[in-house]
Amino acid sequence: MQPNVISLVSIGRHPQSGRARRSEQDGRALELGLKLSGSHLQVAHAGAYDSTFSGSAEETVLRQYAGMGLKQMTVLKQSSDADVIPSLSHYLESQSAQVVLLGVRAESGESSGMVPYLLAESLGWPIVSRVADIVSIENGEAEVLLALPRGQRRSVTVTLPFIATVDNAAPEPRQTAYGPGQRAQFNAVDTPEVLDELRINWVEAPAKPRPKRLKVIKAKTAAERFKAATAKAQGGSGKVMKNESAQEKAQAIFDLLIEEKVIR
Amino acid sequence: MSDIIRRDPRTEWIARNRLHPLYESVINANAGEVRGPTGLLRKNPHKVGFIGPNGIKRIDRLKGNGQGAGAVGRGKSSANEPVLALHQIEAPDFYIMVAPDLVGGRLTSHDKDVLGLAHKLCRTYEADERDQGRSSQGAVVAVCFGEMKEESLDLAGVDRLIHLQNDVFEGFAPEARLEAVAQIEQMYQPKHWLFPDSIHGGADLGSRLSARLGERPAVQAWQVDTQNTVCRGASSSIDITRATPRILLLLEECGDAIDETRHEAKALDVDAVEVSAVNIVDHGLMDVDPNAIPLAEAEFILSAGNGIHNWEQFHDAAKALGATEGASRVAVDDGFMPRFRQVGATGTWVTARVYVAVGISGAIQHMQGIGQCDKVVAINTDSGCDMVKRAALSVIGDSEEILEELVKIVNAHKGQVSPEGETLEKGSEHAA
Ligand SMILES: Cc1cc2nc3c(=O)[nH]c(=O)nc-3n(C[C@H](O)[C@H](O)[C@H](O)COP(=O)(O)OP(=O)(O)OC[C@H]3O[C@@H](n4cnc5c(N)ncnc54)[C@H](O)[C@@H]3O)c2cc1C
């Protein structure tokens, strides 16, 4: 049985030029969705869909996603300052989705990364964040690899239906093809719209560079400051083993490695 | 003592006579500060210094930091090492909760920044209350899960500690941890929840709690006071200024770590947490090819220097230990290791938690590269080299012999653990 997979995509933002683009993580979510259910994958985007849509930057980006091999795509009609959660959760419920894939953080807007969590809470589904791969889906359970810092992977199983956010460690999205992207159909769906009221009071400004933290040296005399600036490794703090047998020395190293949990 | 100033004609007489044998002691007796007629501080240049053994006047400009004084001075300083003031709270009126990442059971610098910020907020709230004529005291509570190796919680600014150490919270257990923090929220109604916005689980737990409570958090916040918060948005291209919410996910360097006070780190109780049906089951860490991990990110590095003579054995050892391979420049220049494995100033700056340096002398260019490593282990024939001074554990001996023994022990350990399987899983669960 093919699992019912839905990938949600958003409009990305190129880090240098600031232009709209296919988002890195959403592209990976789509790629993972294609791997799981091929042509049965459903892709949805919540955003503006009105008279200005055709020819807009949004359309271009959505067609880039579509160019990864989609025949059609759903657009949930929302205005740009709406809260997308009610609309998305309504849509996911109506589609009886089993696996929902998103990026970890949007590249535009607040990019708080809260959308998947709020969806999970409103639907009552489990959520796993920072997925590197979904290995298999069987018997109402999915085996998922999570991406951890330092290139580590953790294996977990999650019961269906669930929400997953896709990490940058997931396989890269395929190249988009222009022609198929242009031929893809958009299905516009009317969904309930709720205004995001909190956000109206926020002030947005271009990011200021953050001040670098200075190394504060709390030295009272010049000699102490000189010492702090030129200090070499201090001796005497570590344990030194000299006269033990090689076996004992190796054992000591081994114990330390076990204690630090780097050897399993 | 009476306040009447009394003259002592005899000392005055001695003070006028520079050749008097008691002149020195009389002059130096009340060597307090001397002010000139205009009120300026005056130094008497004749009184500076002392006469050295060969009769020449000596001035000690090291202020007791010199080599000779060092031996005496150090003993003294350890005896009366300034004890940091203890910040005590009898009965807190409000709480600020911090859920540190505790990577490998220790506070990260990110955690310490967040704790520092929590104290800053706490002080501001207290000052606000004081302005209104009330007195209130807040406590910073660290909510920790799983194993803890940190010993200086008190120095990092933990007033109260909630340490949940149950099997259900070990490893990857976001659901159980969420239940726990939700319960703590109910019990203590804290003023704020602060999480490090990190990939080590802080962001995940914070987001889960916000979703559960239906409160909007400030994410990627980096400038916070009790009124306003500045967060990064749109992949760090904009700053959003907003009212400070109750739940904050904070970037690194959001505050200054505590360094001038000690704190109580007293345990705070929580009722037993009920964890209902769990949908996410952890199966532990996967084995990944350690050499596929970029050197800068690797957690465990076995590094080879000029003291390695049997390269075959070194590679085998790295494989057996599951360590990422590194090298000193000499090993690379001599062609034994590829250039991208070089650690140091002209190579990679590594961040490993455990760094095993085999046959590396510890030249400064190499030490720069391992500045951020936690635990360094040195295997070297020379007990006086700089690497031994830096290392937490140094083993003096021939690298070949010791690596051979080490590989034997590790293989024995693996053979002993693997068939059971279970113990292997247990040990590995919260390694990350
Ligand atoms: C501009 C510049 C940039 C540099 N950048 C870097 C850099 O990025 N990274 C870097 O590593 N170096 C760098 N160097 C080189 C650096 O100065 C040292 O030369 C180099 O780090 C020394 O490497 P080593 O410790 O492996 O060799 P050595 O200094 O020769 O040390 C070998 C050590 O192995 C021990 N030993 C010998 N035989 C055995 C044995 N059988 N068992 C156990 N121990 C044994 C010895 O006691 C000695 O301590 C740079 C130098 C310059 C000038």
Side-chain angles (χ1 to χ4, degrees), chain B residues 43-82:
Chain B
K43 251 189 202 167
N44 181 0
H46 297 296
K47 278 202 264 171
V48 178
F50 55 93
I51 304 297
N54 46 7
I56 299 175
K57 184 158 180 173
R58 294 286 178 204
I59 298 176
D60 177 17
R61 297 195 193 278
L62 291 173
K63 301 235 160 79
N65 280 302
Q67 284 290 325
V72 186
R74 205 168 296 150
K76 212 167 59 191
S77 76
S78 70
N80 49 10
E81 176 118 2

Side-chain angles (χ1 to χ4, degrees), chain B residues 204-255:
Chain B
D204 186 54
L205 187 61
S207 304
R208 279 175 202 268
L209 181 69
S210 313
R212 167 67 61 87
L213 301 179
E215 288 181 36
R216 194 150 176 171
V219 175
Q220 307 194 56
W222 61 277
Q223 227 175 42
V224 183
D225 58 30
T226 53
Q227 304 299 322
N228 288 315
T229 296
V230 182
C231 326
R232 287 277 197 247
S235 44
S236 298
S237 67
I238 57 170
D239 274 338
I240 304 173
T241 310
R242 49 190 286 189
T244 299
R246 221 164 60 86
I247 303 179
L248 290 151
L249 274 62
L250 299 149
L251 289 181
E252 243 167 304
E253 301 196 2
C254 55

Side-chain angles (χ1 to χ4, degrees), chain A residues 241-252, chain B residues 395-397 401-402 405:
Chain A
M241 298 180 79
K242 233 176 198 170
N243 299 324
E244 289 83 351
S245 70
Q247 210 259 332
E248 279 169 334
K249 290 172 185 166
Q251 187 66 40
Chain B
V395 165
I396 312 302
E401 237 173 78
I402 290 166
E405 288 294 332

Side-chain angles (χ1 to χ4, degrees), chain A:
Chain A
M1 190 203 81
Q2 286 267 342
N4 188 4
V5 182
I6 298 187
S7 292
L8 302 179
V9 297
S10 65
I11 309 294
R13 178 191 175 283
H14 192 276
Q16 259 74 48
S17 68
R19 257 192 261 166
R21 66 158 184 184
R22 178 175 69 158
S23 148
E24 286 267 304
Q25 291 172 341
D26 293 355
R28 287 181 158 81
L30 215 164
E31 180 67 46
L32 188 55
L34 285 171
K35 181 196 137 190
L36 289 177
S37 68
S39 57
H40 296 282
L41 175 71
Q42 297 187 58
V43 179
H45 166 75
Y49 191 85
D50 47 26
S51 52
T52 61
F53 179 74
S54 110
S56 66
E58 277 103 275
E59 191 196 356
T60 319
V61 174
L62 292 185
R63 290 206 181 277
Q64 283 175 10
Y65 286 113
M68 291 170 69
L70 307 176
K71 292 259 169 357
Q72 56 194 5
M73 200 171 186
T74 308
V75 180
L76 310 171
K77 286 195 212 168
Q78 295 282 308
S79 65
S80 60
D81 46 5
D83 182 1
V84 294
I85 305 298
S87 140
L88 284 175
S89 70
H90 179 261
Y91 170 75
L92 293 178
E93 208 144 39
S94 71
Q95 296 295 314
S96 56
Q98 289 177 303
V99 181
V100 181
L101 302 170
L102 304 88
V104 175
R105 256 182 197 156
E107 292 179 357
S108 53
E110 191 190 349
S111 43
S112 67
M114 282 300 292
V115 168
Y117 291 92
L118 292 169
L119 283 178
E121 192 64 33
S122 79
L123 295 166
W125 297 354
I127 169 166
V128 280
S129 59
R130 299 197 171 268
V131 165
D133 200 2
I134 295 180
V135 183
S136 65
I137 299 182
E138 291 172 337
N139 307 330
E141 270 192 348
E143 192 188 337
V144 178
L145 284 189
L146 301 185
L148 299 184
R150 297 184 180 282
Q152 302 290 317
R153 297 280 183 272
R154 183 187 290 285
S155 154
V156 298
T157 51
V158 197
T159 52
L160 298 182
F162 71 98
I163 293 183
T165 64
V166 179
D167 190 84
N168 285 341
E172 271 192 36
R174 63 191 68 179
Q175 195 93 40
T176 81
Y178 182 76
Q182 293 300 312
R183 286 192 290 278
Q185 297 281 321
F186 290 120
N187 310 326
V189 180
D190 284 308
T191 47
E193 186 167 326
V194 180
L195 195 66
D196 183 351
E197 286 178 4
L198 213 59
R199 204 168 155 191
I200 294 168
N201 298 326
W202 294 357
V203 184
E204 291 180 9
K208 270 191 292 185
R210 293 182 62 186
K212 278 230 170 65
R213 178 180 283 176
L214 297 175
K215 204 169 130 197
V216 182
I217 296 164
K218 289 189 176 158
K220 299 227 166 53
T221 64
E224 274 173 32
R225 275 194 295 278
F226 181 73
K227 227 191 260 171
T230 56
K232 260 200 160 184
Q234 236 113 71
S237 60
K239 186 174 152 202
V240 181
M241 298 180 79
K242 233 176 198 170
N243 299 324
E244 289 83 351
S245 70
Q247 210 259 332
E248 279 169 334
K249 290 172 185 166
Q251 187 66 40
I253 297 178
F254 177 77
D255 290 344
L256 184 136
L257 299 181
I258 287 283
E259 194 196 314
E260 290 295 326
K261 299 228 164 75
V262 287
I263 291 191
R264 299 174 206 134

Side-chain angles (χ1 to χ4, degrees), chain A residues 254 263-264, chain B residues 313 316-322 403-419:
Chain A
F254 177 77
I263 291 191
R264 299 174 206 134
Chain B
Q313 185 208 29
D316 288 345
K319 204 164 172 193
L321 293 169
L403 282 185
E404 191 186 326
E405 288 294 332
L406 188 57
V407 170
K408 259 190 221 159
I409 295 176
V410 170
N411 284 340
H413 169 76
K414 279 189 183 159
Q416 177 193 357
V417 175
S418 296

Side-chain angles (χ1 to χ4, degrees), chain B residues 358-403:
Chain B
V358 192
I360 298 180
S361 60
I364 185 68
Q365 292 91 353
H366 192 86
M367 294 310 226
Q368 282 170 348
I370 62 169
Q372 290 185 49
C373 295
D374 266 355
K375 281 260 148 81
V376 175
V377 179
I379 303 179
N380 207 308
T381 41
D382 172 12
S383 64
C385 70
D386 282 337
M387 187 59 84
V388 170
K389 290 182 189 150
R390 164 76 166 81
L393 171 67
S394 315
V395 165
I396 312 302
D398 182 47
S399 62
E400 195 168 342
E401 237 173 78
I402 290 166
L403 282 185

